[in-house]
Amino acid sequence: MSSDHIGIIGGGIVGLALARWITRERPGARVTVLEKEDRVAAHQTGRNSGVVHAGLYYRPGSLKAELCRRGMLLLREYCAERDLPYQEVGKVLVARDADDAERLDRIERTARENGVPGVRRLGPEGLREIEPHAEGVEALHSPHTAITDFIAVAESLADDVRRSGGRVRLGAPVIALRQGVGGAEVLTGDPAGERTRHRFDTVVICAGLQADRLARMAGAGADPRIVPFRGLYHELVPERRDLVRGLVYPVPDPRYPFLGVHLTRHVHGEVMAGPNAILAAAREGYRLRDVARRDLAETLSWPGFWRLAREHWAVGAREVAVSASAAVFAREASRLVPGITAADLRPAPAGIRAQALARDGSLLDDFAIDVHGRFVCVRNAPSPAATSSLAIAEYLGEKTLAAR
């Protein structure tokens, strides 16, 4: 029996899934989740597309691929147990020309190597059977790609933690971290100015958009830096939702860091178009006018940002153009489903992607976890982190906590 007291910083889906794993798998351990907002899932978890990814794209053998496949199975089981929404609406990757079709060959091979079930190639007629309004020269169909409500999942995980004797403390932003004698110390504040000192045997930082800052606070290095990218969404007006049955995606181009506009049905009936991706001037700036001087200064002072900008300035300019015009946004969406116009779209809430960027300008594509004394720092948890959350919890628990 363990009597360790484990602190988890971050009340998103990864931190809550880990807290749940610890309360289930380490009898006697005490668990406290510290979340700076007044609710769980306030940032990336609550502002993503709601897609449960099947593992089509990820490099076979990578941690990302393995955790996605395992996480999808665990999440499906969890949603069934808790009566949470989980719908296998399926996804089609639509090849619009011969170059897309060639890339589709590689993705199909990758999907099969990753053990993604049911994947099949479609011609134009087969595509129309799945998505009657989509058009392409070919498509790849993943019938078991699903959608869920990740806010509901996160809230359920938090309830599990509380029922098992753990604590989820909201409104508790971290002010300072330090290695203490025989443990770790965390200083938090609250809106009234009260400060609380917490002592833990181990602290796991699952802080998403603030991951690099808290890692540095714990004594880790500056590399990688989190650079925020705002994802702008539009929603199809209700009378046009029948244009999309499930998930309609373009074929990703490996030369570019972002996917581009795609169409996603949500479990509550909405159909979203997007997101595109532009640099955000604030890590939690969900409106175009939101600017945080510290956030912007940290981005612009990072050498990796300028290396990335030099390499991908053209795609960056295109993303800005898409963001600035509903007509251009609609034109991008109509490349997948012809007939979508600006009149079919209305603005929807944006999200922010925590993109980990190395000093040399390379984008971190896989999970990255550092250990610094009593602190375990999740430095990068890229998409499909929400899909993979229950498997990430197993991995973190077994690889970094069980041996401590």
Side-chain angles (χ1 to χ4, degrees):
M1 300 282 285
S2 172
S3 59
D4 287 351
H5 191 185
I6 298 170
I8 298 171
I9 300 174
I13 197 168
V14 172
L16 293 168
L18 176 60
R20 173 181 177 268
W21 185 90
I22 295 168
T23 61
R24 290 163 59 93
E25 301 297 329
R26 297 190 70 174
R30 293 174 294 152
V31 180
T32 300
V33 178
L34 301 173
E35 167 54 46
K36 70 185 181 72
E37 306 295 354
D38 62 1
R39 63 195 186 283
V40 300
H43 294 292
Q44 290 187 109
T45 298
R47 290 177 173 267
N48 65 29
S49 63
V51 175
V52 182
H53 294 278
L56 294 176
Y57 316 118
Y58 314 126
R59 179 173 56 83
S62 67
L63 187 58
K64 194 173 184 178
E66 293 173 4
L67 293 179
C68 180
R69 290 296 307 136
R70 172 71 176 156
M72 180 185 182
L73 297 175
L74 292 173
L75 183 61
R76 183 173 63 191
E77 293 173 2
Y78 183 79
C79 289
E81 292 169 1
R82 297 295 191 276
D83 196 27
L84 296 170
Y86 188 98
Q87 301 170 17
E88 290 189 344
V89 295
K91 175 163 77 173
V92 288
L93 300 184
V94 179
R96 295 165 293 197
D97 54 34
D99 289 340
D100 277 356
E102 185 177 340
R103 286 193 288 271
L104 211 56
D105 291 337
R106 293 191 291 270
I107 293 171
E108 183 178 10
R109 289 194 297 270
T110 296
R112 296 192 188 285
E113 287 184 55
N114 285 337
V116 179
V119 171
R120 63 190 179 108
R121 200 68 168 261
L122 305 173
E125 292 299 324
L127 172 60
R128 279 191 288 272
E129 290 178 7
I130 304 297
E131 290 286 352
H133 300 283
E135 287 189 10
V137 297
E138 288 188 69
L140 190 68
H141 183 218
S142 171
H144 298 293
T145 297
I147 53 176
T148 190
D149 182 339
F150 282 118
I151 294 177
V153 173
E155 290 172 344
S156 178
L157 293 170
D159 288 342
D160 291 344
V161 172
R162 296 183 183 105
R163 282 194 294 268
S164 298
R167 295 190 298 170
V168 180
R169 296 195 56 175
L170 304 176
V174 172
I175 298 170
L177 304 173
R178 79 178 186 92
Q179 305 279 353
V181 177
E185 294 185 357
V186 180
L187 183 66
T188 61
D190 68 15
E194 294 288 331
R195 295 192 172 191
T196 305
R197 192 173 301 277
H198 312 264
R199 297 181 183 274
F200 301 106
D201 296 288
T202 302
V203 173
V204 186
I205 298 171
C206 302
L209 286 158
Q210 309 296 335
D212 58 335
R213 289 174 176 165
L214 287 166
R216 293 198 305 272
M217 201 182 288
D223 196 358
R225 175 73 52 87
I226 295 297
V227 174
F229 284 87
R230 181 186 294 106
L232 179 66
Y233 288 92
H234 284 76
E235 178 185 350
L236 289 184
V237 295
E239 57 269 25
R240 297 288 276 171
R241 289 175 180 172
D242 61 352
L243 290 175
V244 178
R245 288 179 172 176
L247 312 174
V248 183
Y249 278 50
V251 179
D253 189 332
R255 296 174 298 173
Y256 303 126
F258 302 114
L259 177 61
V261 172
H262 44 285
L263 297 156
T264 306
R265 179 167 288 277
H266 285 198
V267 291
H268 302 297
E270 310 95 324
V271 175
M272 312 304 289
N276 70 326
I278 61 171
L279 181 68
R283 294 195 183 197
E284 297 168 8
Y286 299 106
R287 300 168 300 178
L288 285 172
R289 66 177 180 272
D290 291 335
V291 177
R293 291 182 180 179
R294 178 190 177 193
D295 294 351
L296 188 58
E298 287 192 358
T299 293
L300 298 180
S301 65
W302 185 241
F305 169 73
W306 294 105
R307 294 184 176 113
L308 177 73
R310 283 194 296 270
E311 183 177 355
H312 294 295
W313 67 268
V315 69
R318 185 186 71 193
E319 293 291 304
V320 170
V322 172
S323 295
S325 168
V328 176
F329 203 103
R331 187 178 67 202
E332 289 295 304
S334 69
R335 298 178 68 192
L336 297 170
V337 176
I340 291 178
T341 68
D344 300 324
L345 302 176
R346 63 188 183 189
I352 300 283
R353 170 177 173 172
Q355 178 61 61
L357 183 62
R359 181 177 291 273
D360 65 5
S362 59
L363 300 168
L364 272 68
D365 187 53
D366 210 342
F367 294 97
I369 300 164
D370 295 342
V371 179
H372 297 273
R374 297 283 179 165
F375 292 95
V376 178
C377 308
V378 180
R379 301 298 299 261
N380 192 43
S383 176
T387 297
S388 308
S389 55
L390 295 174
I392 296 170
E394 288 182 339
Y395 178 84
L396 280 171
E398 293 170 357
K399 300 296 184 184
T400 65
L401 293 180
R404 296 176 73 81

